[in-house]
């Protein structure tokens, strides 16, 4: 038996039948039987119509793949009601029984690739979706120090890839004779050296002060907004304005 699936008439140059023919899409099989010494059989056609299962919508990601400053909470979304999303973070493509079942936003705090597939009974699985994330963290400010002669506070600069700029916030307290005033910096500075006399509360201008402050770096995002790191170790010193 020889057969074709492309609509042409079968001959001894066509596919030789040696087992069941897999049919996954609509087509017509045409077959002819031949035997030495006998005339070939009539061509026997058989038309098959295959209805494809509707496919689950592909998974999308919010925020989308990209480079971000600070940890991200990534939502996985499928527009097919009732679909189950499975995802992985190890580079593999999830299957119907492999990967993690999505139930809450995925927390990304370092470079990661999320791969996801959505499933629903009676429907074809969604196409795999993938999103790659690069996350820049705001490091802790190091080496905060006080120069008593210059009356300046300084620290090592911080670098945050992707940031439009880096600002520094100085917070702490000043105390004299048992009274304590908080030093709250809501403005920040892009400098890494600061004259401390400007930090002293006016009512303490002529008093010897014990000061304890820390510095926190904040990455300014290109589109606006800031992401702060953790505060530095406290720097303690005494000063007279």
């Amino acid at each position: 038996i020889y057969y074709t699936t492309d609509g042409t008439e079968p001959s001894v140059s066509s596919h030789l039948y040696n087992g069941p023919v897999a049919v996954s899409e609509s087509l017509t099989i045409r077959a002819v039987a031949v035997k030495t010494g006998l005339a070939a059989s009539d061509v026997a056609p058989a038309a098959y119509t295959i209805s494809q299962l509707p496919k689950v919508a592909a998974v999308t990601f919010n925020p989308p793949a990209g480079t971000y400053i600070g940890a991200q909470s990534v939502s996985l979304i499928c527009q097919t009601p009732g679909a189950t999303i499975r995802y992985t973070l190890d580079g593999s493509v999830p299957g119907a029984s492999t990967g993690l079942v999505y139930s809450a936003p995925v927390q990304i705090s370092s470079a990661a690739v999320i791969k996801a597939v959505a499933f629903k009974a009676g429907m074809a699985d969604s196409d795999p979706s993938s999103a790659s994330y690069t996350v820049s963290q705001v490091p802790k400010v190091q080496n905060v120090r006080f120069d008593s002669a210059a009356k300046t506070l300084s620290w090592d600069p911080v670098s945050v890839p992707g940031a439009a700029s880096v600002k520094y916030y100085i917070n702490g307290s000043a105390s004299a004779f048992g009274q304590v005033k908080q030093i709250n910096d809501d403005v920040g500075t892009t400098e890494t050296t600061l004259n401390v006399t400007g930090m002293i509360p006016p009512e303490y201008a002529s008093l010897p002060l014990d000061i304890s402050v820390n510095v926190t770096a904040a990455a300014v995002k290109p589109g606006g907004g800031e992401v702060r790191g953790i505060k530095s170790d406290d720097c303690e010193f005494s000063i007279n304005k």
Side-chain angles (χ1 to χ4, degrees):
I1 300 174
Y2 294 90
Y3 70 95
T4 64
T5 59
D6 60 2
T8 60
E9 293 298 302
S11 68
V12 293
S13 298
S14 303
H15 299 295
L16 175 63
Y17 178 78
N18 54 18
V21 179
V23 178
S24 59
E25 59 183 359
S26 297
L27 54 78
T28 297
I29 298 176
R30 296 178 181 274
V32 64
V34 298
K35 185 176 181 180
T36 302
L38 294 175
S41 71
D42 294 335
V43 173
Y48 297 87
T49 300
I50 304 297
S51 298
Q52 299 290 342
L53 290 174
K55 181 175 287 190
V56 178
V59 177
T60 57
F61 305 87
N62 185 32
T67 299
Y68 295 90
I69 299 171
Q72 297 295 305
S73 182
V74 181
S75 295
L76 277 55
I77 303 163
C78 179
Q79 297 298 332
T80 301
T84 297
I85 299 173
R86 286 181 175 269
Y87 70 95
T88 64
L89 296 169
D90 62 2
S92 64
V93 176
S97 59
T98 61
L100 302 170
V101 176
Y102 176 77
S103 60
V106 181
Q107 304 304 310
I108 301 296
S109 58
S110 60
V113 176
I114 305 176
K115 293 189 176 182
V117 177
F119 305 88
K120 186 175 182 179
M123 299 182 71
D125 303 343
S126 76
D127 293 329
S129 298
S130 179
S132 178
Y133 295 87
T134 300
V135 177
S136 297
Q137 296 292 352
V138 182
K140 179 180 178 179
V141 176
Q142 301 291 337
N143 196 24
V144 181
R145 55 204 181 269
F146 175 66
D147 184 328
S148 58
K151 295 186 177 180
T152 56
L153 186 72
S154 57
W155 52 89
D156 294 345
V158 163
S159 176
V160 182
S165 62
V166 176
K167 295 176 68 175
Y168 303 93
Y169 292 88
I170 297 87
N171 293 281
S173 62
S175 60
F177 303 109
Q179 295 185 359
V180 178
K181 291 285 186 178
Q182 295 301 312
I183 299 172
N184 297 313
D185 180 6
D186 297 322
V187 178
T189 177
T190 57
E191 303 296 328
T192 56
T193 299
L194 184 69
N195 190 309
V196 175
T197 57
M199 299 166 48
I200 298 174
E203 61 271 32
Y204 286 180
S206 61
L207 300 176
L209 295 178
D210 293 322
I211 294 181
S212 177
V213 292
N214 58 73
V215 182
T216 303
V220 180
K221 298 180 180 179
E226 298 179 2
V227 176
R228 294 197 185 192
I230 59 175
K231 67 180 183 180
S232 71
D233 295 335
D234 289 341
C235 178
E236 299 179 348
F237 54 93
S238 297
I239 186 176
N240 279 78
K241 188 169 183 180

